[in-house]
Amino acid sequence: MTISPGVSFSVHAQDGTARTGALELGRGVVRTPAFMPVGTAGTVKAMYVDQVRDLGADIILGNTYHLMLRPGAERVAALGGLHAFSRWQGPILTDSGGFQVMSLSGLRKLDRDGVTFRSHIDGSSHRLTPERSVEIQTLLDSDIIMQLDECVRLPSTRVDIERAMRLSLDWAERSKRAFGSQPGKAIFGIVQGGDVPDLRIASASGLADMDFPGYAIGGLAVGEPQDVMLRMIETVEPFLPKARPRYLMGVGTPDDIVESVARGIDMFDCVMPTRAGRHGLAFSRFGKINLKNARHAQDHRPLDEASSCPAARDYSRAYLHHLTRANEILGMMLLTWVNLAYYQDLMAGLRAAIAAGRFADFRAETREAWAKGDIPAL
Amino acid sequence: MTISPGVSFSVHAQDGTARTGALELGRGVVRTPAFMPVGTAGTVKAMYVDQVRDLGADIILGNTYHLMLRPGAERVAALGGLHAFSRWQGPILTDSGGFQVMSLSGLRKLDRDGVTFRSHIDGSSHRLTPERSVEIQTLLDSDIIMQLDECVRLPSTRVDIERAMRLSLDWAERSKRAFGSQPGKAIFGIVQGGDVPDLRIASASGLADMDFPGYAIGGLAVGEPQDVMLRMIETVEPFLPKARPRYLMGVGTPDDIVESVARGIDMFDCVMPTRAGRHGLAFSRFGKINLKNARHAQDHRPLDEASSCPAARDYSRAYLHHLTRANEILGMMLLTWVNLAYYQDLMAGLRAAIAAGRFADFRAETREAWAKGDIPAL
């Protein structure tokens, strides 16, 4: 069904609370549950854009904070938008910039109208308001625009969490108004409320009243235990309109993703597979593998001979170990490729399992393989 | 004609002193003049091995110094050799390690028998003799093995240059003996003698008397002006057997290569295209282009729309500028690709021009395009 002019979302199958479907945007279809590789500054680090597409990613994420500082939103617009700039032709979701203002920038000052901060690159002063964030994301030609919100770190006091949640609700309304009508594109509201159930519910209900095309859950995966995160998803889920996509921001490990899909989440993004790949860590059906470990130094076997990814299949663990130890760029290229392939394969597996009504089996099999761990050392 | 068991070299055409031909090794044919991308530590930095092959490289270079320290020659041998390890299936030339012992290692002590040095990685002590260098290169399963030599920096005194040249001649003989007979593979001697013509001639003649399958000119491109380098090539060339390949080590800029081909050189290696690519510098038919320069920041045009390389053709200068400024790995990947493509295209152009008897025209056209420089800024 249409959720915004030129944008539709359908749930094709449901298995328990887990669901699979399709989000159709002007620039293409996003099969859900979807993992969005993070293309921070206009590039999914260490990957050619065609590789990302070939792995089965339907959508990638761009970071407003990074792009507004360098090369600048107006410049990207003058160059034809982020798609032409980066050569990614599918949909792009951009965050609002708010989260990274809090985590990366220097000297910042939050007021009811917005946030003023200094660039971590050159110390220059910038300001983000709900309206300016939407304007920047529109200049980038983003397909899914996120409202500006305030995200508090956990643990925080109820007072702080509530204040930020209320401010975020206000900014949601302003963001939605600023977005206006953009055919083929959508704006998502963001549920805040920390680890406080009633605040989470108030946030979700408030956003649902505003009738957003999609809903994100923010402020999780910020250091709290996994069970807190999952409990918050369970708390919020009943208050999110079933016919709209739900996006869990910044999550997570493969296990986080499986468990969140089980609880009704449709979309994810995380730097984990790309960042880990640059630091010698591989994700696979055997779990997490540290290629820096000496056990791989003389191992002629591939990471996973059954993988769909050439990097996991055609190179020896000894070679990957060597590249990682020597800090070679090719090591980062290969392991990023391995990890994004694993994440996309996991999403494809989740979608197929839900469609076939065997999500529980898939989850059990997947967890069993992780628990079994890597193949024995030679 | 056969130059070593299972190895042959033929000059197919000559135009002035420039020549084109083919060096046939057990693992494949090297079309000459050839540029060998440098795969220092078992990887041509920031490139997938298939890309290197697809650009038209017939042979790559590996560095004995780096590989003996990490992952170690015996380990590479146990893993099936450098080809299986790195997935490069064509011929590989390895240097002797001597040059990098001098330029990279800590505390070293040279004696008539060899050189003892400390690893720049972990300070461990190692020793290279002519025999051990050949043994290491054989363990790596190198297709073209280089003799151990001593290379002096310029300027140096005649006394120092002569001593190193005589030692290198002695080590040439020992290296050749250690190499023995390896069907399908070859060992090259290295001409030394600094910038002193009669020492260069003595070195070349001495090596020619030993009847090496191929001859390298070493100790150039170490800081001397280009005209000194070219004069040394001219000095040495008449004393190198015409029916054997000639390899100018560590050279160089596109102009160095064209001028050296004009003087009868068949093979080259240099880190310049790969290293420059990691630092925002592109080589093209327009000359050298610094992508960090602000003139590219808003330029939607590609580096060279007529290039055979997707990285030069399909990405805007503005995007390459952004990636370079942001120190993104993709920027290094794309510009390394651009540069190796340009070098291989240049070699293909040189081979075709020599074969067609129009080397002088090709040289003039190429230099004219470089002199004209990059397209005007927008």
Side-chain angles (χ1 to χ4, degrees):
Chain A
M1 65 171 277
T2 298
I3 59 175
S4 190
V7 180
S8 66
F9 179 65
S10 347
V11 174
H12 299 148
Q14 188 137 358
D15 186 357
T17 311
R19 55 208 219 146
T20 182
L23 172 61
E24 291 191 51
L25 295 150
R27 276 206 178 78
V29 176
V30 178
R31 296 162 293 176
T32 63
F35 179 79
M36 302 183 279
V38 177
T40 309
T43 156
V44 176
K45 292 185 195 295
M47 293 284 287
Y48 295 108
V49 76
D50 298 335
Q51 290 179 291
V52 179
R53 164 65 78 180
D54 290 347
L55 290 177
D58 293 329
I59 178 170
I60 64 172
L61 181 141
N63 286 123
T64 287
Y65 173 81
H66 287 280
L67 291 163
M68 72 183 281
L69 297 182
R70 186 172 55 193
E74 277 73 10
R75 179 168 295 167
V76 171
L79 289 162
L82 195 48
H83 303 78
F85 189 57
S86 69
R87 297 189 67 248
W88 172 264
Q89 298 309 320
I92 296 176
L93 180 147
T94 45
D95 62 9
S96 70
F99 181 78
Q100 289 181 318
V101 166
M102 296 303 162
S103 58
L104 293 180
S105 76
L107 202 64
R108 56 194 163 263
K109 200 178 156 292
L110 185 82
D111 55 62
R112 280 210 60 84
D113 187 53
V115 57
T116 303
F117 62 95
R118 291 201 178 276
S119 160
H120 74 287
I121 300 169
D122 61 6
S124 56
S125 181
H126 298 264
R127 184 162 173 80
L128 271 182
T129 61
E131 292 75 17
R132 176 60 181 158
S133 174
V134 169
E135 182 183 23
I136 289 171
Q137 295 178 72
T138 303
L139 284 165
L140 296 173
D141 204 10
S142 171
D143 301 280
I144 300 180
I145 285 174
M146 301 304 298
Q147 71 148 101
L148 189 66
D149 61 341
E150 188 197 348
C151 169
V152 294
R153 300 224 165 264
L154 297 180
S156 283
T157 63
R158 181 186 170 98
V159 171
D160 283 344
I161 293 170
E162 176 155 16
R163 188 201 47 72
M165 183 274 282
R166 299 280 169 210
L167 182 66
S168 296
L169 271 183
D170 178 50
W171 286 2
E173 200 152 15
R174 286 169 56 187
S175 297
K176 191 162 183 293
R177 198 177 317 122
F179 176 78
S181 173
Q182 301 191 24
K185 301 184 173 187
I187 182 168
F188 282 21
I190 304 177
V191 177
Q192 289 291 351
D195 52 1
V196 185
D198 65 294
L199 296 182
R200 283 280 173 189
I201 291 168
S203 176
S205 306
L207 290 171
D209 289 345
M210 296 178 206
D211 191 26
F212 271 92
Y215 298 87
I217 304 179
L220 294 178
V222 290
E224 79 286 359
Q226 191 200 40
D227 68 298
V228 173
M229 179 182 86
L230 297 179
R231 211 163 56 237
M232 287 303 111
I233 298 170
E234 290 165 11
T235 301
V236 162
E237 191 275 334
F239 298 89
L240 297 177
K242 303 245 173 289
R244 301 291 159 95
R246 299 131 170 207
Y247 160 33
L248 182 59
M249 301 184 80
V251 173
T253 64
D255 184 59
D256 288 339
I257 289 175
V258 171
E259 292 310 308
S260 302
V261 166
R263 289 159 176 82
I265 301 295
D266 304 304
M267 298 167 68
F268 302 88
D269 81 282
C270 192
V271 296
M272 200 170 281
T274 38
R275 183 172 291 166
R278 296 197 303 282
H279 292 90
L281 295 172
F283 289 95
S284 85
R285 61 194 172 100
F286 308 124
K288 207 162 164 178
I289 301 176
N290 185 349
L291 267 308
K292 286 198 174 162
N293 195 304
R295 69 168 277 187
H296 305 292
Q298 308 191 54
D299 196 332
H300 64 274
R301 298 170 302 178
L303 257 178
D304 182 358
E305 61 190 4
S307 171
S308 64
C309 176
R313 206 179 51 214
D314 299 343
Y315 296 81
S316 69
R317 287 162 177 250
Y319 187 58
L320 297 173
H321 170 82
H322 166 66
L323 294 176
T324 298
R325 284 285 184 109
N327 210 26
E328 284 286 350
I329 292 172
L330 181 61
M332 305 181 191
M333 292 161 63
L334 291 172
L335 290 181
T336 301
W337 194 7
V338 164
N339 291 346
L340 286 180
Y342 181 71
Y343 268 66
Q344 292 302 334
D345 286 351
L346 178 65
M347 302 318 291
L350 286 164
R351 291 191 297 264
I354 297 165
R358 53 181 306 279
F359 176 77
D361 286 350
F362 180 84
R363 172 160 63 165
E365 289 153 17
T366 302
R367 294 175 65 105
E368 196 184 339
W370 290 336
K372 211 170 136 194
D374 197 10
I375 52 177
L378 276 184
Chain B
M1 63 170 280
T2 298
I3 59 175
S4 190
V7 180
S8 66
F9 180 64
S10 348
V11 174
H12 299 149
Q14 187 138 358
D15 187 357
T17 311
R19 53 208 219 148
T20 182
L23 171 62
E24 291 191 51
L25 296 149
R27 275 206 179 80
V29 176
V30 178
R31 296 163 292 175
T32 63
F35 179 78
M36 303 183 278
V38 176
T40 309
T43 157
V44 176
K45 290 183 194 299
M47 294 284 287
Y48 294 108
V49 75
D50 298 335
Q51 290 179 292
V52 179
R53 164 64 78 181
D54 290 347
L55 291 177
D58 294 329
I59 179 168
I60 63 172
L61 180 141
N63 286 125
T64 287
Y65 173 81
H66 288 280
L67 292 164
M68 71 182 282
L69 296 182
R70 186 171 56 194
E74 277 74 10
R75 178 168 296 166
V76 171
L79 289 162
L82 194 49
H83 303 77
F85 189 57
S86 68
R87 300 188 66 248
W88 172 264
Q89 298 309 320
I92 295 176
L93 179 148
T94 45
D95 62 9
S96 69
F99 182 78
Q100 290 182 318
V101 165
M102 296 302 163
S103 57
L104 293 179
S105 76
L107 202 65
R108 57 194 162 263
K109 200 178 155 293
L110 186 82
D111 56 62
R112 279 211 62 83
D113 187 52
V115 56
T116 303
F117 62 95
R118 291 201 178 278
S119 159
H120 74 288
I121 301 170
D122 62 5
S124 57
S125 183
H126 298 264
R127 183 161 173 82
L128 271 181
T129 61
E131 292 76 17
R132 176 61 182 157
S133 174
V134 168
E135 183 184 21
I136 289 171
Q137 295 178 72
T138 303
L139 284 164
L140 296 173
D141 204 10
S142 171
D143 301 279
I144 301 179
I145 285 174
M146 301 303 299
Q147 71 148 103
L148 188 66
D149 61 342
E150 188 198 348
C151 169
V152 294
R153 300 224 166 265
L154 297 179
S156 284
T157 63
R158 181 187 169 99
V159 170
D160 283 345
I161 293 170
E162 177 155 15
R163 187 200 48 72
M165 184 274 281
R166 299 280 169 210
L167 182 67
S168 296
L169 271 182
D170 178 50
W171 286 3
E173 200 152 14
R174 286 169 55 187
S175 297
K176 192 163 183 290
R177 199 176 317 123
F179 176 78
S181 173
Q182 301 191 24
K185 301 182 174 188
I187 182 167
F188 283 20
I190 304 177
V191 177
Q192 289 291 352
D195 53 1
V196 185
D198 65 294
L199 297 182
R200 283 280 172 187
I201 290 168
S203 176
S205 306
L207 289 171
D209 289 345
M210 295 178 206
D211 191 26
F212 272 92
Y215 298 87
I217 304 179
L220 295 177
V222 290
E224 78 287 359
Q226 191 201 41
D227 67 300
V228 172
M229 179 183 86
L230 297 179
R231 210 163 57 239
M232 287 303 111
I233 299 170
E234 290 165 11
T235 301
V236 163
E237 191 273 335
F239 297 89
L240 297 177
K242 303 242 172 291
R244 301 289 159 96
R246 298 131 172 207
Y247 160 33
L248 182 59
M249 301 184 80
V251 172
T253 64
D255 183 60
D256 287 341
I257 289 176
V258 171
E259 292 310 309
S260 302
V261 165
R263 289 159 176 81
I265 300 295
D266 304 304
M267 298 167 68
F268 302 88
D269 80 283
C270 192
V271 295
M272 200 170 281
T274 38
R275 182 172 292 166
R278 296 197 303 283
H279 292 90
L281 295 171
F283 288 96
S284 85
R285 62 194 170 99
F286 308 125
K288 207 163 165 178
I289 300 177
N290 185 349
L291 267 308
K292 287 200 174 161
N293 195 305
R295 70 168 277 188
H296 304 293
Q298 308 191 54
D299 196 332
H300 64 274
R301 298 171 303 178
L303 257 178
D304 182 358
E305 61 190 6
S307 171
S308 64
C309 176
R313 207 180 49 214
D314 300 342
Y315 296 82
S316 70
R317 288 163 178 248
Y319 188 58
L320 297 172
H321 170 81
H322 166 66
L323 295 176
T324 298
R325 282 285 184 109
N327 212 26
E328 284 286 350
I329 292 172
L330 181 60
M332 304 180 191
M333 292 161 64
L334 290 173
L335 290 182
T336 302
W337 195 5
V338 163
N339 290 346
L340 286 180
Y342 181 70
Y343 268 67
Q344 291 302 335
D345 285 352
L346 178 65
M347 303 318 291
L350 287 164
R351 291 192 296 264
I354 297 166
R358 53 181 304 281
F359 176 77
D361 286 350
F362 179 84
R363 170 159 64 164
E365 289 153 17
T366 302
R367 295 175 66 106
E368 196 184 340
W370 290 335
K372 210 169 138 193
D374 197 9
I375 52 177
L378 277 184

